[in-house]
Amino acid sequence: MIFNMEFETLPREALAAIQLRRLIGVAERVYATVPFYRKKFTEAGVRPSDIKSLADLSRLPFTYKQDLRDNYPFGMFAVPMDNVVRIHASSGTTGKPTVVGYTARDISTWSELMARSLSAGGATRDDIIHNAYGYGLFTGGLGVHYGAERLGASVIPISGGNTRRQIMIMKDFGPTILTCTPSYALHLAEAAEEMGVDFESLKFKSGIFGAEPWSEQMREEIEKKLYLSALDIYGLSEVIGPGVAIECLEEKKGLHIFEDHFIAEIINPDTGEVLPPGETGELVFTTITKEAFPIIRYRTRDITSLNYAPCKCGRTMVRMKKVSGRTDDMLIIRGVNVFPSQIESVLMEMTEVSPHYQLVVDREGTLDTLTVMVEVNEASFSDEVKTLQSLEARITKNIRETLAVAVKVKLVEPKTIARSEGKAQRVIDNRKR
């Protein structure tokens, strides 16, 4: 289902014309109102009047997360504070929080984009949306909430946590759309099983999951356990929050980016060179309609590629491939690049283990080591040492043959690894301590 038929199915030529007009407008605004951008543009030897085509975007400077931290809290805002009606911020677990602001029109734009996203996931005004993304400074909860209301659907603002209560509400209220992180979806399935509740007896038809990278194999696991169609949604607070891109029910092969509001590029993360369509690299976004916190060529660190082929859903917006990892969560183990999602893909192909795992990185002398801790599922758990040793050996072999890296595998009992009510912690890197 398409929420905004006019814009989501624009011919590419018309879309490009809109993007260029909006790009010139946002460049002029940030140059005039944000000292950081005036300085960066000057250093790069470019002025807004130099933008004559979309290709000229590559002449503009990049924006990095550190730039947001250096201008903490409001130094990147492009409007006076009395025009800002909402402020969100990151958790700040890896440094000073990044702070973003919204005008009333920004909130309206965001609500429209989330309404588009929920529609792409099969939601209509007749649906009840169980929103288990966290509310607060994190953009997930309120982003979905406002989009559901724009769509006209009913929303249950349950937020994260209180998992057993969530299961009770699912039984009693009959929600039809689930929104949360993919790891929390699996935790909900586990909790329901403990409570004797079968997800097949609930009314869910689809789930919209995001805020962390997840594999196709995890999609299969979620769909099998929760009896729904699982869709990936993409967003980040620096760009607007959730609602930047989403898969469609019709294909589930790539996430449609709402290009009338965002221009996406793929670059070589080492050189900054813009790569041709189809090549894999780092995703970069420029917002072209935001008022309070516009951002130019933001380095997301997410690894993906762009696909401009037509989609049978009818949307003409480019699709980004499911994010395979981030440049800053890529582990380099003895010279081999390893993303947690690659390990996850190998584990999910083995029926004896559960979807719960953790990667522990240590340094022994001058060598880095990677230990994969993974839970054996209830059905396969055994007291026989030989059985467990055989399983460990097979996992080790599969990872080595797939990723060409030697790892240690440590099997742990079911429900040993801590469950997350938001984003799962997949990596413990002891080298940084």
Side-chain angles (χ1 to χ4, degrees):
M1 180 180 172
I2 297 178
F3 181 78
N4 189 327
M5 189 65 74
E6 179 185 357
F7 280 93
E8 293 182 72
T9 61
L10 271 174
R12 297 292 309 175
E13 296 79 9
L15 178 60
I18 290 173
Q19 285 185 315
L20 178 59
R21 187 178 73 245
R22 290 178 172 177
L23 173 62
I24 293 171
V26 76
E28 289 173 344
R29 282 195 295 111
V30 299
Y31 189 81
T33 59
V34 184
F36 165 81
Y37 279 119
R38 177 181 284 269
K39 181 172 182 289
K40 293 277 279 189
F41 278 36
T42 301
E43 289 172 351
V46 63
R47 298 173 62 90
S49 57
D50 294 328
I51 300 173
K52 306 297 183 187
S53 71
L54 287 176
D56 290 328
L57 175 60
S58 64
R59 300 179 61 187
L60 303 184
F62 291 118
T63 306
Y64 299 85
K65 185 181 279 286
Q66 188 59 45
D67 295 326
L68 275 60
R69 289 174 173 154
D70 291 344
N71 288 278
Y72 175 87
F74 306 138
M76 302 281 282
F77 285 12
V79 298
M81 280 304 292
D82 60 358
N83 287 349
V84 175
V85 300
R86 176 93 66 79
I87 295 169
H88 282 279
S90 69
S91 61
T93 51
T94 58
K96 197 170 279 187
T98 56
V99 181
V100 295
Y102 302 78
T103 64
R105 181 175 291 180
D106 290 334
I107 294 295
S108 177
T109 299
W110 189 17
S111 302
E112 147 97 17
L113 296 178
M114 274 310 305
R116 292 186 192 182
S117 300
L118 292 166
S119 295
T124 70
R125 58 182 300 109
D126 297 325
D127 281 298
I128 301 175
I129 296 172
H130 185 103
N131 184 19
Y133 282 115
Y135 282 63
L137 287 176
F138 174 59
T139 52
L142 285 170
V144 172
H145 187 107
Y146 276 66
E149 291 189 344
R150 174 67 68 87
L151 181 64
S154 305
V155 57
I156 303 171
I158 189 76
S159 194
N162 294 313
T163 304
R164 294 178 72 86
R165 183 164 177 259
Q166 298 220 18
I167 302 299
M168 180 195 76
I169 286 175
M170 288 175 181
K171 282 179 60 183
D172 296 344
F173 293 7
T176 49
I177 306 285
L178 173 62
T179 59
C180 62
T181 61
S183 54
Y184 191 57
L186 288 172
H187 184 37
L188 285 166
E190 193 174 67
E193 185 179 356
E194 289 173 357
M195 295 169 66
V197 176
D198 187 348
F199 256 89
E200 191 173 14
S201 68
L202 304 180
K203 295 182 179 178
F204 287 113
K205 60 181 184 182
S206 61
I208 295 174
F209 306 114
E212 60 188 17
W214 51 302
S215 63
E216 286 296 331
Q217 289 77 9
M218 184 171 277
R219 187 204 303 274
E220 293 173 12
E221 190 77 14
I222 290 172
E223 291 186 337
K224 185 174 70 177
K225 288 179 181 292
L226 275 71
Y227 293 91
L228 48 71
S229 186
L231 297 157
D232 193 4
I233 187 171
Y234 177 87
L236 60 173
S237 61
E238 295 87 346
V239 175
I240 202 166
V244 175
I246 189 165
E247 292 176 325
C248 58
L249 269 176
E250 290 83 353
E251 285 210 6
K252 290 199 282 190
K253 289 182 180 174
L255 296 83
H256 290 281
I257 296 171
F258 296 121
E259 293 179 278
D260 50 331
H261 294 275
F262 315 106
I263 300 178
E265 302 171 274
I266 299 294
I267 65 165
N268 179 321
D270 297 323
T271 66
E273 173 196 6
V274 178
L275 299 177
E279 289 203 19
T280 299
E282 182 183 341
L283 182 62
V284 172
F285 273 114
T286 297
T287 66
I288 51 176
T289 56
K290 281 176 68 184
E291 294 182 330
F293 185 77
I295 199 160
I296 305 294
R297 305 193 78 200
Y298 183 67
R299 299 279 300 259
T300 68
R301 303 295 181 189
D302 291 325
I303 302 298
T304 183
S305 60
L306 298 179
N307 174 12
Y308 288 87
C311 180
K312 67 182 180 185
C313 74
R315 291 175 181 83
T316 53
M317 307 283 181
V318 67
R319 282 174 284 173
M320 56 178 273
K321 191 175 181 181
K322 220 170 183 339
V323 171
S324 59
R326 292 174 53 83
T327 56
D328 53 2
D329 72 10
M330 181 181 75
L331 303 169
I332 301 177
I333 306 298
R334 301 185 185 186
V336 179
N337 298 342
V338 178
F339 289 103
S341 57
Q342 293 175 303
I343 300 280
E344 178 182 298
S345 295
V346 175
L347 296 176
M348 292 301 96
E349 289 176 352
M350 307 194 67
T351 57
E352 299 95 333
V353 300
S354 79
H356 305 287
Y357 67 95
Q358 225 163 27
L359 311 182
V360 182
V361 188
D362 287 293
R363 180 160 289 161
E364 296 177 3
T366 58
L367 293 177
D368 293 334
T369 63
L370 175 60
T371 301
V372 179
M373 298 179 63
V374 57
E375 290 183 6
V376 180
N377 62 34
E378 297 275 5
S380 303
F381 187 69
S382 170
D383 289 331
E384 292 186 19
V385 175
K386 278 187 178 178
T387 302
L388 296 176
Q389 286 178 334
S390 172
L391 178 57
E392 279 184 352
R394 280 195 293 121
I395 297 173
T396 303
K397 176 173 175 288
N398 288 353
I399 292 174
R400 185 175 63 245
E401 290 181 350
T402 304
L403 303 180
V405 65
V407 302
K408 299 175 186 174
V409 173
K410 183 177 180 182
L411 299 178
V412 297
E413 294 182 21
K415 299 174 186 172
T416 300
I417 293 174
R419 304 301 192 251
S420 168
E421 295 174 351
K423 299 180 184 183
Q425 184 183 10
R426 297 297 191 200
V427 179
I428 299 173
D429 193 341
N430 293 323
R431 297 173 299 182
K432 298 176 181 175
R433 294 179 180 175

